[in-house]
Amino acid sequence: MSRLSIRGIEKTFPGRRRAAPTRALEPTDLEVRDNDFITILGPSGCGKSTLLRVVAGLETPTAGTVTLDGRPVTRPGPDRGMVFQSYTLFPWLSVRDNVCFGLRERGVPRAEQLAIADRYLAQVGLKGFENHQPSQLSGGMQQRTALARALANDPGVLLLDEPFGALDHQTRELMQELLLGIWEQHRKTVLFVTHDIDEAIFMASRVVVMSARPGRIKCDIAIDLPHPRSYKVKTSAAFAAYKERLTEEIRVETIKTLNMEA
Ligand SMILES: Nc1ncnc2c1ncn2[C@@H]1O[C@H](COP(=O)(O)OP(=O)(O)O)[C@@H](O)[C@H]1O
Ligand SMILES: [Mg+2]
């Protein structure tokens, strides 16, 4: 089981020197059920990364609590795997050793580490690249390595912050299918931040839209598209209807962010 409760989370960053403090999150509540795939959409700067970092235990909230299966989250842990937009592999380690990293930290025997690493690397299509260095890989391959590294610890929860944001469009679509396929197989609880509406709808069981900063949850829409989902669903009428609604919701918030008239 991996049930996340986000209750009354607020975050204000203190201002440096004479700068005013930044209120990043208003009191925010979100119940994430076991096996939910939630995508979080919102304008730039609305607090999406802050929310994810609080859930990861990388940021302490100003108020509120996050619990995972009833236990309060206070620091990062192997029960929550993270993938960020920027490539965060250890450049001095091979692809395989990057994936083994968390397993080694937890004292898993070496032979078992290697077996697990190679299994996940095969799953993300990197068989044959185990001994490469990250610098020898394309961006998409580096993010697949990061995904394998997050999955190798078998976390109940995956926290993904615009993980495909730096990839070209075609690679990005294939990565979405890859991640969705993994989720359909392993049924992890996923929180996935993006500002791409198609990406948000395609993978999600629920799309959550955040308001302009200070962020709060503005709407929460169940995505009732059948599984297994293929890219073909993106041209369906149901998909278009979700897209129309979400485009409108985001547009209003983006206009606020830009201080323009609606
Ligand atoms: N460590 C920090 N110190 C001060 N301000 C921060 C810090 N991290 C984020 N912020 C501010 O909080 C707001 C929300 O940021 P962020 O969560 O990164 O937004 P998003 O991911 O939605 O683009 C922004 O105004 C940002 O400048
Ligand atoms: Mg962000």
Side-chain angles (χ1 to χ4, degrees):
M1 244 206 5
S2 294
R3 199 168 36 77
L4 267 176
S5 282
I6 296 167
R7 300 226 174 112
I9 291 293
E10 291 179 51
K11 182 70 186 181
T12 302
F13 292 103
R16 293 233 181 96
R17 307 224 184 126
R18 273 180 291 169
T22 303
R23 187 150 174 76
L25 287 173
E26 295 257 277
T28 299
D29 298 305
L30 184 64
E31 288 296 322
V32 187
R33 293 179 293 261
D34 198 23
N35 303 333
D36 253 346
F37 194 133
I38 294 193
T39 51
I40 302 176
L41 275 173
S44 182
C46 77
K48 302 181 295 297
S49 294
T50 302
L51 180 62
L52 216 66
R53 288 172 58 79
V54 168
V55 176
L58 294 168
E59 200 81 72
T60 310
T62 311
T65 52
V66 175
T67 57
L68 176 54
D69 293 331
R71 292 184 306 276
V73 162
T74 52
R75 65 173 90 91
D79 50 1
R80 283 150 293 138
M82 285 217 67
V83 182
F84 302 93
Q85 175 175 356
S86 54
Y87 308 139
T88 50
L89 300 176
F90 303 113
W92 61 90
L93 293 179
S94 69
V95 164
R96 179 186 279 128
D97 283 333
N98 264 282
V99 179
C100 286
F101 189 83
L103 301 167
R104 193 171 54 221
E105 295 276 289
R106 280 163 46 214
V108 173
R110 184 68 180 160
E112 203 178 319
Q113 285 178 29
L114 297 177
I116 293 170
D118 287 6
R119 185 161 42 131
Y120 282 105
L121 283 168
Q123 187 157 32
V124 299
L126 287 176
K127 203 171 166 55
F129 291 92
E130 295 86 350
N131 295 313
H132 279 57
Q133 297 297 121
S135 61
Q136 298 173 296
L137 303 181
S138 69
M141 291 161 91
Q142 291 190 44
Q143 285 308 68
R144 280 186 273 156
T145 306
L147 189 57
R149 184 175 63 182
L151 290 167
N153 293 306
D154 196 23
V157 180
L158 274 180
L159 303 172
L160 305 151
D161 193 355
E162 307 204 36
F164 309 148
L167 305 178
D168 66 79
H169 187 72
Q170 276 74 26
T171 306
R172 185 172 185 150
E173 295 210 305
L174 291 175
M175 293 288 288
Q176 293 163 8
E177 288 175 59
L178 175 78
L179 177 61
L180 188 59
I182 289 170
W183 179 82
E184 283 167 348
Q185 191 183 336
H186 298 282
R187 293 285 166 162
K188 303 270 176 203
T189 300
V190 181
L191 269 183
F192 186 112
V193 167
T194 178
H195 54 243
D196 183 302
I197 297 176
D198 288 67
E199 178 168 275
I201 301 167
F202 177 58
M203 293 186 294
S205 53
R206 279 161 68 196
V207 178
V208 164
V209 179
M210 287 177 68
S211 69
R213 192 177 62 78
R216 60 185 169 73
I217 288 169
K218 189 190 171 203
C219 65
D220 185 338
I221 300 174
I223 303 296
D224 193 14
L225 298 169
H227 286 283
R229 269 180 216 172
S230 89
Y231 68 93
K232 292 190 175 136
V233 78
K234 291 182 181 176
T235 50
S236 69
F239 194 95
Y242 287 124
K243 185 165 179 176
E244 187 180 354
R245 166 148 186 221
L246 286 164
T247 300
E248 198 51 46
E249 299 276 7
I250 300 286
R251 191 180 150 77
V252 173
E253 297 308 318
T254 307
I255 287 169
K256 281 186 209 158
T257 302
L258 300 176
N259 282 322
M260 288 159 60
E261 294 291 312

